[in-house]
Amino acid sequence: MTSGTVAERLADVRQRVSAAARLAGRDPSELTTIAVTKFHPASLVRELAEAGLLDVGENREQEATAKSQELEDLDLRWHFIGQLQSKKARRVQRFSRWIHSLDRESLRTALAHDDGPSTSVFIQVNLTSDPGRGGLSSGELSAFADRVAGTPGLDLVGVMGVAPLDEEPRRAFARLKALSDALVRSHPGAASISAGMSADFEDAIAEGATHLRIGSAITGNRPERR
């Protein structure tokens, strides 16, 4: 759904999230809905805040930095959800305490710090058979998680995944849930699952997602890239 006002679209998504959670036997309050606002203006983020949504996701450091500075009067929680270059890690940490795309050793070391608040991180898992896609393979997850958990300044909160385009989303999310369950046995505090976008968030909820990254269903169609 991309028609209507921002507030109307947000209300519709909230209703769908609640319905999917109840269907899965879950409490809707356990879920965090993140509005992905890539390429949308800061004014749209302000509308979302006025409607009560304070969790905002961005993919690009430069755009996110500009928006966060323009909207610093709002009590927003910025989530960085895109592929992050190690050289930009510290810049992202200036405005965001949530990073959903930790997927390699160089980024882990770039994010490490021993001053200021900790950064909550999700380890991105590659749910496809293509090694060129972002994320660790399932076989790499356990050892990498151990290193992340021992890194100063990082708080390992869970795993993140994107459903492949050529597979039923729920099957992919079920694999992510199994990996999450295995991770929690070693790291009990890492029980969060970042999964689900506009087209598949209900499937993600059914498989245990806790953080939903929803774009156009809330923001409307993405404007032309500036």
Side-chain angles (χ1 to χ4, degrees), residues 1-2 12-13 16 34-36 173 195-204 212-220 222:
M1 177 179 179
T2 57
D12 177 71
V13 166
R16 291 170 59 191
I34 302 163
V36 179
F173 294 142
M197 299 187 290
S198 290
D200 56 24
F201 68 82
E202 285 140 326
D203 286 323
L212 314 171
R213 311 180 308 272
I214 302 177
S216 61
I218 293 175
T219 63
R222 184 177 293 170

Side-chain angles (χ1 to χ4, degrees), residues 1 3-15 51 217-218:
M1 177 179 179
S3 59
T5 66
V6 169
E8 288 169 344
R9 291 191 295 268
L10 177 58
D12 177 71
V13 166
R14 283 174 164 162
Q15 188 279 325
I218 293 175

Side-chain angles (χ1 to χ4, degrees), residues 14-76:
R14 283 174 164 162
Q15 188 279 325
R16 291 170 59 191
V17 167
S18 294
R22 289 192 295 268
L23 186 63
R26 301 179 61 194
D27 183 345
S29 67
E30 299 173 355
L31 306 177
T32 298
T33 297
I34 302 163
V36 179
T37 56
K38 178 180 180 180
F39 299 147
H40 288 280
S43 59
L44 182 138
V45 180
R46 192 172 291 279
E47 286 185 68
L48 290 170
E50 291 170 353
L53 192 150
L54 299 176
D55 289 277
V56 182
E58 285 286 337
N59 298 64
R60 302 160 72 225
E61 177 272 324
Q62 187 174 4
E63 179 181 353
T65 295
K67 285 181 188 174
S68 66
Q69 292 172 347
E70 184 173 346
L71 299 167
E72 61 184 0
D73 60 304
L74 301 177
D75 189 22
L76 299 172

Side-chain angles (χ1 to χ4, degrees), residues 20-209:
R22 289 192 295 268
L23 186 63
R26 301 179 61 194
D27 183 345
S29 67
E30 299 173 355
L31 306 177
T32 298
T33 297
I34 302 163
V36 179
T37 56
K38 178 180 180 180
F39 299 147
H40 288 280
S43 59
L44 182 138
V45 180
R46 192 172 291 279
E47 286 185 68
L48 290 170
E50 291 170 353
L53 192 150
L54 299 176
D55 289 277
V56 182
E58 285 286 337
N59 298 64
R60 302 160 72 225
E61 177 272 324
Q62 187 174 4
E63 179 181 353
T65 295
K67 285 181 188 174
S68 66
Q69 292 172 347
E70 184 173 346
L71 299 167
E72 61 184 0
D73 60 304
L74 301 177
D75 189 22
L76 299 172
R77 291 179 291 272
W78 293 94
H79 299 250
F80 195 84
I81 63 175
Q83 293 298 304
L84 177 57
Q85 297 177 34
S86 299
K87 65 182 181 180
K88 296 184 177 181
R90 287 306 179 98
R91 278 180 262 173
V92 167
Q93 285 175 311
R94 291 173 188 165
F95 64 85
S96 176
R97 296 296 173 221
W98 293 83
I99 293 176
H100 292 238
S101 50
L102 177 54
D103 64 353
R104 61 193 184 281
E105 188 67 19
S106 61
L107 182 55
R108 179 188 71 83
T109 57
L111 290 169
H113 62 280
D114 55 12
D115 59 327
S118 62
T119 302
S120 296
V121 295
F122 294 83
I123 297 176
Q124 184 174 354
V125 180
N126 184 355
L127 298 178
T128 77
S129 58
D130 179 2
R133 296 290 296 273
L136 298 176
S137 69
S138 57
E140 297 172 307
L141 176 60
S142 178
F144 186 66
D146 290 344
R147 294 194 294 276
V148 172
T151 303
L154 299 187
D155 180 17
L156 175 60
V157 297
V159 293
M160 184 272 257
V162 178
L165 296 176
D166 59 352
E167 180 182 6
E168 287 295 324
R170 187 160 178 178
R171 290 181 58 190
F173 294 142
R175 294 199 303 278
L176 187 64
K177 179 61 164 66
L179 291 170
S180 173
D181 289 344
L183 178 64
V184 168
R185 288 194 284 271
S186 300
H187 302 282
S192 295
I193 300 175
S194 173
M197 299 187 290
S198 290
D200 56 24
F201 68 82
E202 285 140 326
D203 286 323
I205 291 170
E207 295 298 337

